[in-house]
Amino acid sequence: MKKKLIKKAQELRQHGFTTGEIADELNVSMDTARWLTLQKPTEEKTKAPTDFAINWKSVGGNSTRLRYVSGALSDMALSHGEANVVVGIAVSGVPFATMMADFLEDMSETETSLAIFHPNKHRKGQDTTDDEGTISTNFGNVEGKKVIIVDDVITSGKTVKEVIHTVKDQGGEPTCVTVLIDKAGLSEIEDVPIESLIKVSRLG
């Protein structure tokens, strides 16, 4: 499995993916993605960071399953009240957010728009800065709205914190964060509750 991840990470790097994009594509932490891209077959191996690689292709590759999972995430999000905007974190949070906006509009009978967040880690040369990402101007805006934030996997919570700050800076009110898998075991970030279908716990 490790050799396959190394190969895939290095292929993605050759195609111009940033470390952040590789981390998202393989559902690993930034540290793990960086480690994977630096491995050389002839050199002495360094110890990999402690992490879990998550493969949810059985959900993401099937629109029916994706819809069911999005329905479950919508149901969990509604426990924190209704929202006007669903913000999907690019790339993997966007399919869930798109379907959730549709579900939530039907469930609450209020207009629910879709917004897309581009994290800082996807920008070339930005792996080590503290700059925040941005919400696309081609989709819904968050000003004066109640907002649900959606991603596929939380690894450290850094990207989610970035989105929360951006939403607040733009005058929105985050009501909750919903994710498919929480690898960090978090219940909240910046006082915003986190709802996940699956929590991964590391023992020992």
Side-chain angles (χ1 to χ4, degrees):
M1 178 65 174
K2 193 187 294 182
K3 287 182 181 177
K4 286 183 182 176
L5 281 173
I6 291 170
K7 183 179 178 188
K8 182 66 176 171
Q10 294 181 355
E11 285 172 356
L12 292 170
R13 177 68 89 207
Q14 288 172 355
H15 284 92
F17 279 55
T18 65
T19 304
E21 289 171 323
I22 293 168
D24 280 357
E25 188 68 21
L26 301 180
N27 290 310
V28 297
S29 70
M30 291 273 286
D31 287 341
T32 301
R34 198 171 288 109
W35 179 86
L36 290 168
T37 60
L38 294 174
Q39 297 312 294
K40 304 283 188 236
T42 56
E43 292 180 4
E44 183 180 333
K45 303 289 186 215
T46 57
K47 188 176 179 203
T50 302
D51 199 356
F52 296 98
I54 305 289
N55 181 345
W56 57 269
K57 189 175 181 180
S58 61
V59 172
N62 183 292
S63 60
T64 302
R65 294 176 194 154
L66 195 61
R67 185 165 177 77
Y68 286 137
V69 169
S70 299
L73 292 172
S74 299
D75 182 60
M76 291 190 302
L78 280 175
S79 69
H80 299 281
E82 294 182 1
N84 315 103
V85 181
V86 181
V87 176
I89 300 175
V91 172
S92 300
V94 174
F96 294 114
T98 303
M99 291 191 174
M100 284 178 68
D102 188 43
F103 267 112
L104 291 167
E105 190 161 311
D106 289 343
M107 294 166 125
S108 64
E109 297 181 0
T110 60
E111 186 176 332
T112 308
S113 61
L114 171 71
I116 307 295
F117 181 81
H118 297 283
N120 179 55
K121 67 182 179 179
H122 286 186
R123 295 190 219 159
K124 292 195 182 295
Q126 297 293 316
D127 291 344
T128 58
T129 72
D130 292 329
D131 293 340
E132 293 182 353
T134 185
I135 293 175
S136 172
T137 57
N138 293 325
F139 297 88
N141 71 72
V142 299
E143 185 179 0
K145 310 268 179 74
K146 291 184 181 291
V147 177
I148 296 168
I149 298 165
V150 185
D151 205 359
D152 61 335
V153 178
I154 289 181
T155 299
S156 68
K158 183 179 177 185
T159 301
V160 169
K161 189 182 289 187
E162 189 181 326
V163 186
I164 290 169
H165 288 172
T166 303
V167 167
K168 288 180 177 178
D169 288 347
Q170 294 189 13
E173 180 188 339
T175 61
C176 72
V177 175
T178 62
V179 295
L180 177 62
I181 300 167
D182 176 8
K183 291 164 63 176
L186 301 171
S187 60
E188 64 178 40
I189 294 178
E190 303 280 313
D191 296 323
V192 177
I194 295 176
E195 296 285 354
S196 63
L197 283 178
I198 301 166
K199 278 194 189 297
V200 177
S201 298
R202 187 179 290 126
L203 303 176

